[in-house]
Amino acid sequence: MGTQNRRRRLLRYGLAAAVPVLLLAAGVASCGKGGRDTSAPPKKPRITVTVYDRANVPSSEGSIVSNKITRWINEAGPVNVRFIPVLRNQAEQKLNALFAAGEAPDLIMEYAPQIKNTLIEQKLLRPIDDMIERYSTTYKEILKKYPILRKTGTGPDGQLYQFGRINETIPMRGLFIRTDWLKKLGLDIPRTTEELYQAAKAFTELDPDGNGKRDTYGIALSGSPGAIINEMFGVSYPDYVVRGGELVHGWDHIEAVTDFKKRIYDEGLADREFWNDRNGYRAKQDFVSGRIGIYLDQFNVPATFYTDFYLPLKRNVPDAALMVIPYPVTPVGQFNPIFVNPVQMTAVVNAQMKNPEAVMKYVDFAASEEFMKTMYFGFEGVHSITKPDGCPKLTDIEKWRKEFNFGTGDFGMLTSPTLSGRCYYGTEKLDEKEPLQKEVKRMFELNSEYVNFNLEMTGPTLGEQMPRLPQELQTILSQTMAQVGTEGDIWLKAVLTPDFSPGEARAEAVALWEQAGGKQVDEWYRSFYANDRNQYLLTQDIYQLFREQRAAQGK
């Protein structure tokens, strides 16, 4: 599909209008104006809302359900909210248990399509068209401007079920390497996974920190780094790749990335207990303390990378030099990082909810610019000030990190930053006058400049944009991925077990997959890509939006 055809599709959905610098119209305050009247009415309605619990709230700030952010929401907002914590990596189990017990919250904040689609199929969620029509102001206006939110949030019965947002679409991940270690050991920037392996080997064995001990690791394999290495080889849930113009199951890719990880593990180039560091906490601590030379992590919010990774690293190892580099060429090809989803559905409503007006008022508040400004920049006069040009500016990034950064994304899942123009683009929190922040900003820009539009991302599109499987096929996929998916037990066994090769793991995984009926899933996805892919946002459409958003910023 050519650029002009893609642009016509995006315009038809109203999405290309997210590229110019715009301000929300109805019901939203300008970012240069003061806050709303926060005086509470005599009695506010009460609702319940989920929030991801990532176990990352500083002890001084309380808990994920009781902190400065939640107190502000209840003081400034139109309703009283009781937040229900949901562990990020156990969302499906938690929500299933809540629904089974008749205790599911009124509003459910959730990214994963497979979780929400299953709840829709089970009639556990409420259509929201009537709520929007009767009670909404802000979200109603957003829907008018960006009809793709309606298209993407509509269920198989033709009714609208999901609220969503429009995002800045940028590379989501970054591959970072200690260039001071490369220089000391006389190594070049790795351009292939073989060269990446050689760098990891040297970082482990040749004492790059010069302390006379073998106490460094070449690369991290646990948590986010491990998952991003999978993406570097072109696979992530649900593990389908484009090859020869067809969509096929990425068995070759999964085997190749498993072989790479096994080689790293067998030679002790990563933490030998990585499999027990599921959330990657120990790997992160090793990286910021200067013990890991190659690290991969989220890089779509540069201020967070600065506060959580780069600043601690530089405090611990002042001479550390870090660089973000392109994903290397793998034995199965080269890929771009996955991108932030430009059209992201993030909230659904419990069918048993009793007060649709109250829920809609909260959604409007959570989609407003006042809410977004607070989530992104904290409190005016405390964490930030509004500049003469109308944009907020952080005045104390450390205070903001401690008091807001743990929850900015998860409480702000209905905010649409690109709708308010340059004030909310990713680099705006970073101060060019601060040398370390300037370095992170430059790395962030480089990561976008590295994008090669001739390459694919993982799969034909983002996981959240993949088409909805029929329920019986979704069941097959859901019940087998814990064993045969890229992060599945069979492949982990191949990494950890000396006499069990990635090839043997593949044979076992394919057999289990086919026994479960997986060939039906493969055929459904193949047919979708052959016949219906033009109905979806695919990789090249996302690239087009990325180019246009950068052009709107003068880049």
Side-chain angles (χ1 to χ4, degrees), residues 255-274:
E255 182 178 354
V257 72
T258 304
D259 185 70
F260 177 80
K261 290 180 178 179
K262 185 176 182 68
R263 194 177 180 193
I264 295 291
Y265 178 80
D266 285 348
E267 298 189 31
L269 310 186
D271 182 357
R272 296 281 294 182
E273 298 292 320
F274 82 90

Side-chain angles (χ1 to χ4, degrees), residues 402-432:
K402 180 180 179 181
E403 298 181 357
F404 266 83
N405 190 45
F406 66 85
T408 293
D410 293 332
F411 288 105
M413 286 172 64
L414 285 165
T415 61
S416 296
T418 59
L419 299 183
S420 293
R422 65 182 181 83
C423 295
Y424 295 93
Y425 281 111
T427 57
E428 290 303 311
K429 289 193 184 79
L430 298 177
D431 188 345
E432 281 275 349

Side-chain angles (χ1 to χ4, degrees), residues 170-176 224 227-228 231 297-300 324 327 337-338 447:
I170 48 178
M172 186 179 288
R173 322 291 198 196
L175 168 56
F176 301 91
S224 290
I228 298 170
E231 295 169 5
D297 211 276
Q298 299 285 107
F299 199 37
N300 57 305
V324 65
Y327 281 4
I338 66 169
N447 209 37

Side-chain angles (χ1 to χ4, degrees), residues 427-472:
T427 57
E428 290 303 311
K429 289 193 184 79
L430 298 177
D431 188 345
E432 281 275 349
K433 296 178 182 178
E434 294 289 335
L436 296 185
Q437 293 185 42
K438 185 176 181 179
E439 289 174 20
V440 171
K441 188 171 184 177
R442 178 55 184 154
M443 283 192 278
F444 181 79
E445 288 299 329
L446 274 176
N447 209 37
S448 289
E449 291 171 15
Y450 290 148
V451 173
N452 182 342
F453 298 114
N454 295 316
L455 301 178
E456 291 283 347
M457 293 184 298
T458 299
T461 185
L462 303 170
E464 292 175 71
Q465 294 289 352
M466 287 288 279
R468 180 184 293 110
L469 281 168
Q471 185 58 46
E472 65 274 14

Side-chain angles (χ1 to χ4, degrees), residues 223-432:
S224 290
I228 298 170
I229 289 172
N230 299 336
E231 295 169 5
M232 194 170 75
F233 280 75
V235 280
S236 64
Y237 183 92
D239 296 340
Y240 287 86
V241 300
V242 178
R243 182 183 301 147
E246 288 193 330
L247 193 63
V248 299
H249 206 126
W251 297 118
D252 291 347
H253 298 245
I254 307 174
E255 182 178 354
V257 72
T258 304
D259 185 70
F260 177 80
K261 290 180 178 179
K262 185 176 182 68
R263 194 177 180 193
I264 295 291
Y265 178 80
D266 285 348
E267 298 189 31
L269 310 186
D271 182 357
R272 296 281 294 182
E273 298 292 320
F274 82 90
W275 53 272
N276 202 30
D277 181 28
R278 294 282 180 173
N279 63 5
Y281 177 80
R282 190 167 65 240
K284 176 183 175 181
Q285 297 310 307
D286 284 339
F287 171 69
V288 299
S289 66
R291 295 186 63 204
I292 293 179
I294 301 166
Y295 196 80
L296 303 92
D297 211 276
Q298 299 285 107
F299 199 37
N300 57 305
V301 184
T304 298
F305 184 82
Y306 167 77
T307 58
D308 291 4
F309 291 90
Y310 196 55
L311 188 59
L313 173 64
K314 294 292 283 187
R315 283 174 173 168
N316 292 324
V317 190
D319 293 333
L322 197 67
M323 179 56 66
V324 65
I325 65 174
Y327 281 4
V329 178
T330 79
V332 289
Q334 186 177 20
F335 304 89
N336 289 318
I338 66 169
F339 276 54
V340 173
N341 189 354
V343 185
Q344 191 170 42
M345 310 316 295
T346 56
V348 290
V349 178
N350 184 353
Q352 301 303 313
M353 176 268 302
K354 304 298 184 185
N355 193 337
E357 182 177 6
V359 171
M360 194 67 245
K361 284 183 176 180
Y362 177 75
V363 169
D364 272 2
F365 177 53
S368 72
E369 191 167 350
E370 176 193 2
F371 193 98
M372 178 166 60
K373 177 183 177 181
T374 304
M375 292 304 107
Y376 279 62
F377 291 95
F379 300 139
E380 178 81 15
V382 177
H383 307 94
S384 62
I385 59 171
T386 300
K387 298 185 293 184
D389 65 1
C391 288
K393 175 182 173 57
L394 285 178
T395 54
D396 189 337
I397 196 168
E398 279 292 287
K399 185 175 179 64
W400 171 83
R401 180 197 65 80
K402 180 180 179 181
E403 298 181 357
F404 266 83
N405 190 45
F406 66 85
T408 293
D410 293 332
F411 288 105
M413 286 172 64
L414 285 165
T415 61
S416 296
T418 59
L419 299 183
S420 293
R422 65 182 181 83
C423 295
Y424 295 93
Y425 281 111
T427 57
E428 290 303 311
K429 289 193 184 79
L430 298 177
D431 188 345
E432 281 275 349

